Amino acid sequence: MSAVTLRVVGVTAETQDAVSLELVAEPARQVQYRPGQFLTLRIPSAQTGSVARSYSLSSAPHEGRLEVTVKRTAGGYASNWLCDNATPGMTIDSLPPAGIFTPDSLDTDLLLLAAGSGITPMLSILKSALSQGTGRCTLIYANRDENSVIFADALKSLTAEHPDRLVVLHWLESVQNLPSVPTLTTLLTPWHDRELFVCGPAPFMDVVVTAADHLGMDRVHVEKFVSLSGDPFAEIEIEDTDDAALVEVELDGTTNEFGWPRNTVLLDVLLARGVPAPYSCREGACSACVCRVVDGEVKLLRNEILERADLADGYVLACQAVPVTDTVRVTYE
Ligand SMILES: Cc1cc2nc3c(=O)[nH]c(=O)nc-3n(C[C@H](O)[C@H](O)[C@H](O)COP(=O)(O)OP(=O)(O)OC[C@H]3O[C@@H](n4cnc5c(N)ncnc54)[C@H](O)[C@@H]3O)c2cc1C
Ligand code: FES
């Protein structure tokens, strides 16, 4: 799971403050991903060397291409750098696609709620479901005003191509004010039995999740667009120490055993030993590193992502797990 080099081959202005970057791997090869996943890009900075930021793929896997769509954040560094500086020909380092904001099946009926740049993973999911699956989709897309709507034309074309399977409802703050919990509860009622995907600014996601709660919706997926604070591209060094547990790890059909220093997270142990364990943020915020403890006990230093039910099933974040018991068995299968 090392960084890949991507070359920018196209830059498209989507709105006044959002651009799409078409990317290809260098050397040329197909990059596998699932609809709704994201890339983590290394953006150069004279101040800190670089900053790492995640961007959801707006392209769909069956299109055989990679595209991210970046919206300027007022006062933000990386988004403005990309919007101002990305030009065809330049290269950028990325971590492989990651994330679990992706439908288990493209044949399931979906309800998608997006606001602003939260449309990017939704477009990938929509294109995939409509072209590769049989599920029906409803998208409710909130924006400040008509000029802020990203992918307006693409959404129009998809609706025209799939009139029986796709409903797109636009919510404009300039016309309807911000959506409230009671209004959303009424609006979502016809689709309350669907799997729900939500992505947008935190206040938007809060009202959607509360409305979904009122409707008893239990298959709810949320993608938080936050900036990483650490550097997931940094080299890993671990100390040699006698105060170590023993961990047995099953990954890609291979089982290995390592000493696991008690003050070191599992992901660092694996990467330092050359095990290609998956990861992205390395700060407990994205779930790319999820694995399952099948024997023994670990402690998570931070967890922004796993729900109680996941933890009860033994799922843990390798980037945040330190050992509690002397022996631990972990599987990525
Ligand atoms: C899973 C995921 C998917 C996402 N998908 C998308 C997407 O599809 N589209 C999208 O637009 N966004 C997406 N985001 C959000 C994106 O990752 C960023 O959070 C967003 O672009 C804002 O980043 P920013 O650096 O512009 O702003 P901020 O993070 O607000 O920038 C301010 C920060 O930059 C630092 N800074 C300021 N100047 C410098 C400098 N010169 N050098 C170094 N640091 C500096 C400051 O200290 C401050 O911490 C996603 C996030 C996640 C987690
Ligand atoms: S790598 Fe993101 S949660 Fe572990």
Side-chain angles (χ1 to χ4, degrees):
M1 283 286 301
S2 47
V4 290
T5 301
L6 300 175
R7 184 171 292 283
V8 177
V9 292
V11 178
T12 309
E14 301 289 355
T15 61
Q16 266 185 354
D17 57 4
V19 297
S20 289
L21 310 181
E22 176 132 21
L23 305 160
V24 292
E26 197 160 283
R29 65 182 172 86
Q30 194 75 14
V31 177
Q32 305 289 335
Y33 62 99
R34 296 201 301 275
Q37 287 196 307
F38 59 87
L39 298 175
T40 298
L41 304 180
R42 174 153 54 184
I43 291 115
S45 156
Q47 195 177 305
T48 57
S50 65
V51 293
R53 294 285 185 266
S54 302
Y55 291 99
S56 301
L57 288 149
S58 46
S59 52
H62 71 276
E63 296 175 328
R65 60 193 199 97
L66 279 182
E67 184 183 79
V68 292
T69 303
V70 182
K71 182 173 177 176
R72 288 182 191 274
T73 294
Y77 174 68
S79 58
N80 287 296
W81 190 94
L82 286 168
C83 288
D84 292 335
N85 296 289
T87 41
M90 71 178 254
T91 57
I92 190 155
D93 288 338
S94 172
L95 294 176
I100 53 166
F101 190 70
T102 175
D104 284 343
S105 159
L106 296 176
D107 300 326
T108 310
D109 291 344
L110 303 174
L111 174 59
L112 312 176
L113 267 92
S117 57
I119 190 66
T120 51
M122 304 303 189
L123 184 66
S124 183
I125 292 171
L126 269 185
K127 289 189 287 192
S128 302
L130 294 170
S131 155
Q132 308 293 298
T134 55
R136 288 170 304 158
C137 304
T138 296
L139 168 71
I140 299 174
Y141 183 19
N143 277 289
R144 216 174 29 238
D145 53 36
E146 209 174 333
N147 293 332
S148 332
V149 180
I150 307 174
F151 304 131
D153 290 343
L155 292 172
K156 242 186 249 162
S157 306
L158 283 173
T159 319
E161 280 166 40
H162 304 277
D164 312 332
R165 291 178 56 208
L166 174 61
V167 173
V168 176
L169 300 178
H170 287 281
W171 182 289
L172 298 181
E173 198 187 316
S174 56
V175 180
Q176 295 150 289
N177 295 322
L178 289 171
S180 67
V181 172
T183 324
L184 274 181
T185 309
T186 309
L187 184 64
L188 304 190
T189 300
W191 303 287
H192 72 279
D193 53 351
R194 293 199 179 177
E195 192 164 346
L196 173 63
F197 287 78
V198 194
C199 186
F204 170 80
M205 296 209 286
D206 289 346
V207 287
V208 175
V209 169
T210 309
D213 235 23
H214 288 176
L215 291 168
M217 299 175 78
D218 53 3
R219 291 172 301 154
V220 178
H221 309 264
V222 171
E223 186 76 303
K224 293 182 191 159
F225 276 10
V226 290
S227 290
L228 302 184
S229 54
D231 178 8
F233 293 90
E235 285 296 317
I236 291 158
E237 280 174 28
I238 62 169
E239 282 173 40
D240 264 341
T241 165
D242 291 337
D243 188 16
L246 197 67
V247 62
E248 187 185 291
V249 180
E250 187 187 357
L251 172 70
D252 292 337
T254 308
T255 302
N256 287 299
E257 213 172 68
F258 303 105
W260 182 358
R262 290 186 186 277
N263 59 358
T264 305
V265 294
L266 177 61
L267 180 69
D268 288 2
V269 174
L270 300 181
L271 295 179
R273 303 277 181 247
V275 176
Y279 68 91
S280 186
C281 69
R282 279 169 61 187
E283 54 189 66
C286 79
S287 77
C289 63
V290 160
C291 58
R292 198 156 63 83
V293 173
V294 286
D295 196 24
E297 198 185 327
V298 307
K299 183 173 89 177
L300 294 186
L301 301 178
R302 186 175 175 210
N303 170 29
E304 304 270 301
I305 215 96
L306 295 179
E307 307 287 344
R308 237 175 314 170
D310 302 320
L311 298 168
D313 286 342
Y315 289 103
V316 297
L317 302 173
C319 74
Q320 298 299 317
V322 291
V324 173
T325 47
D326 289 340
T327 57
V328 180
R329 229 161 27 93
V330 165
T331 178
Y332 280 86
E333 307 306 320

